[in-house]
């Protein structure tokens, strides 16, 4: 939120999709407006911890369709 701000976040339409989380691969999908993919990737580099556990977030790929993203990156 500090990177995008409230207005930028609203325009980007960022949505975490818990339905598409694969715990074995430690991968999931995030839905975002296609004009904001680069900004989302940049903002993810600032996330260092979740629940006091150190993490590293990497972007594996981008797709315009959730079905194709699921096939390519979660299976």
């Amino acid at each position: 939120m500090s990177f995008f701000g409230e207005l930028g976040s609203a325009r980007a339409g960022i949505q975490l999709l818990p339905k598409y989380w694969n715990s074995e691969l430690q991968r999931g999908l995030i839905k975002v407006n296609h004009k904001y993919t680069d900004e989302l990737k940049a903002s993810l580099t600032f996330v260092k911890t979740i629940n006091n556990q150190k993490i590293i977030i990497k972007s594996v790929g981008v797709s315009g369709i959730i079905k194709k993203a699921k096939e390519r990156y979660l299976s």
Side-chain angles (χ1 to χ4, degrees), residues 56-67:
I56 297 173
I57 299 178
K58 297 179 183 179
S59 174
V60 178
V62 176
S63 176
I65 300 172
I66 291 176
K67 181 179 178 181

Side-chain angles (χ1 to χ4, degrees), residues 27-75:
R27 291 185 182 180
L29 299 181
I30 300 175
K31 184 177 177 180
V32 66
N33 183 312
H34 69 95
K35 295 178 183 177
Y36 292 89
T37 55
D38 291 334
E39 287 87 346
L40 176 64
K41 289 179 189 179
S43 68
L44 292 176
T45 64
F46 295 113
V47 179
K48 302 294 180 199
T49 61
I50 294 178
N51 295 331
N52 294 323
Q53 187 173 2
K54 291 184 178 183
I55 61 161
I56 297 173
I57 299 178
K58 297 179 183 179
S59 174
V60 178
V62 176
S63 176
I65 300 172
I66 291 176
K67 181 179 178 181
K68 286 188 179 182
K70 181 181 166 191
E71 292 170 0
R72 290 179 185 166
Y73 307 118
L74 298 180
S75 52

